[in-house]
Amino acid sequence: MSLQPRRWQPPKATPRAREKHSEPPMPAVQRIEVPGEGPEDVVVAADGRVVAGLANGALVAVDPGEGTVEQIGHTDGRPLGLHANSDGSLLICDAERGLLRLDKPGGQITVLVDEIGGVPLNFTSNVFADGDTVYFTESTRRWKLDEYMGDMLEHSETGRLLRRHPDGRVETLVGELKFANGLVLAPDRSCVLVAETGGYSITRYWLSGDKAGTHDYFVENLPGFPDNMGLGSDGLVWVALVTPRNPLLDMLLPLPGLLRRLVWAIPQRLQPKPARTVWVQAFDFEGNLIHDLQREGTDYAMVTGVAEQDGVIYLGSLTETAIGLTRVP
């Protein structure tokens, strides 16, 4: 696909974007190997197991205490963001097949949404449920998962926050998002938070109150690229930061598109690679940074998913063959 660059002036990166570890440091990351690559998102199921979807389409449940792994389903696509319901069912954003539901471990998979207005979903990314109402994101309407860097360079701003009503009707709550990604619903149901990976920010869509139906920024000018998010047992919003801000990309985004087209034309093996790091942050619902945990990505990297449970932090990755496990220091 040909690149159609949009010019955008990113906010000036903070000094934190150039640092490679946090203070206090993130504790060492333990690996729990899974039978495949790319456990992109991680969620804690009702039975305490950690669930992830792999690049080969498998859905796996991991017992973090024993390290045992069970395949609980297969999407025949590429599962990304997940939401574990209290009844044992699982909602899945599959980058290729749309919004899916697994009724129980080892059960049947149903397609909930695969098109809107007759147009197939292009890149469904993350999901959260409030009873029978489901919020989910489409990262970009132009690029597929295996070419996500195309959207980072193009800056298409075609991401969407979507809501599926119990009767199956789907509406767009916010469009023109900069690579819409992770989702969190506030415990009081006042708002939905959505990560804008390409905007280094988290957008807040108000569901109730005087601002209902409008959106603003929850957090701006993050030091890295936010991906999936999770509501922790501590009541905080945990955010996976895939990689630090890239100075070259920041320099190119405000300039005419020719330079970005030249970068995209370079063979993929020669294009700039994301810096290896392990990085998560946690915010309260006032937008205050409570935890900032980072270490160099020597043993684990490209963290795209995070789930916190009783001080234990589970990590997902687009490229690793394991779920990561660390702790709040």
Side-chain angles (χ1 to χ4, degrees), residues 243-260:
T243 190
R245 295 263 296 266
N246 185 299
L248 175 61
L249 181 61
D250 279 359
M251 181 188 72
L252 290 174
L253 285 172
L255 300 178
L258 175 61
L259 295 173
R260 280 179 275 165

Side-chain angles (χ1 to χ4, degrees), residues 159-182:
R160 296 189 285 182
L161 170 62
L162 303 158
R163 175 164 60 191
R164 181 187 185 273
H165 293 268
D167 62 4
R169 179 171 53 92
V170 178
E171 65 175 321
T172 299
L173 300 180
V174 187
E176 300 182 356
L177 292 172
K178 304 174 184 71
F179 205 92
N181 215 320

Side-chain angles (χ1 to χ4, degrees), residues 11 13 25 53 60 68 76 78 80 82 84 106 109 113 177 184 186 196 198 223 255 281 294 300 318-319 322 328:
V60 295
T68 56
D76 293 319
R78 196 345 175 168
L80 297 176
L82 308 171
I109 287 182
V113 184
L177 292 172
V184 165
E196 289 192 75
L255 300 178
Q281 293 186 332
Q294 183 187 19
Y300 201 85
L318 185 65
T319 57
V328 179

Side-chain angles (χ1 to χ4, degrees), residues 75-280:
T75 69
D76 293 319
R78 196 345 175 168
L80 297 176
L82 308 171
H83 174 78
N85 290 311
S86 59
D87 64 359
S89 64
L90 185 71
L91 294 172
I92 307 132
C93 270
D94 189 291
E96 300 170 6
R97 298 193 60 204
L99 178 64
L100 315 178
R101 182 180 183 271
L102 176 69
D103 62 350
K104 61 182 179 180
Q108 298 295 314
I109 287 182
T110 304
V111 177
L112 298 181
V113 184
D114 59 2
E115 64 176 31
I116 298 176
V119 179
L121 288 168
N122 182 68
F123 186 159
T124 40
S125 188
N126 203 268
V127 59
F128 200 98
D130 180 16
D132 292 330
T133 300
V134 181
Y135 300 88
F136 65 106
T137 53
E138 184 178 29
S139 288
T140 165
R141 300 175 71 179
R142 283 187 39 78
W143 300 87
K144 295 294 186 181
L145 174 62
D146 59 357
E147 291 187 320
Y148 73 92
M149 277 302 300
D151 202 84
M152 293 293 102
L153 283 169
E154 182 179 88
H155 218 73
S156 74
E157 299 185 24
T158 58
R160 296 189 285 182
L161 170 62
L162 303 158
R163 175 164 60 191
R164 181 187 185 273
H165 293 268
D167 62 4
R169 179 171 53 92
V170 178
E171 65 175 321
T172 299
L173 300 180
V174 187
E176 300 182 356
L177 292 172
K178 304 174 184 71
F179 205 92
N181 215 320
L183 280 179
V184 165
L185 176 68
D188 63 1
R189 296 177 172 83
S190 63
C191 63
V192 176
L193 306 180
V194 53
E196 289 192 75
T197 304
Y200 319 133
S201 61
I202 299 172
T203 288
R204 172 175 47 199
Y205 177 84
W206 291 98
L207 298 171
S208 62
D210 295 339
K211 297 181 181 179
T214 68
H215 63 279
D216 55 19
Y217 283 116
F218 174 70
V219 177
E220 292 184 89
N221 200 14
L222 289 165
F225 292 86
D227 203 295
N228 291 319
M229 305 190 296
L231 182 64
S233 63
D234 51 13
L236 300 178
V237 179
W238 284 86
V239 184
L241 295 177
V242 184
T243 190
R245 295 263 296 266
N246 185 299
L248 175 61
L249 181 61
D250 279 359
M251 181 188 72
L252 290 174
L253 285 172
L255 300 178
L258 175 61
L259 295 173
R260 280 179 275 165
R261 289 194 182 97
L262 292 174
V263 173
W264 185 240
I266 298 172
Q268 190 173 14
R269 68 180 185 280
L270 301 178
Q271 291 179 14
K273 300 295 188 294
R276 288 182 60 87
T277 189
V278 187
W279 200 353
V280 297

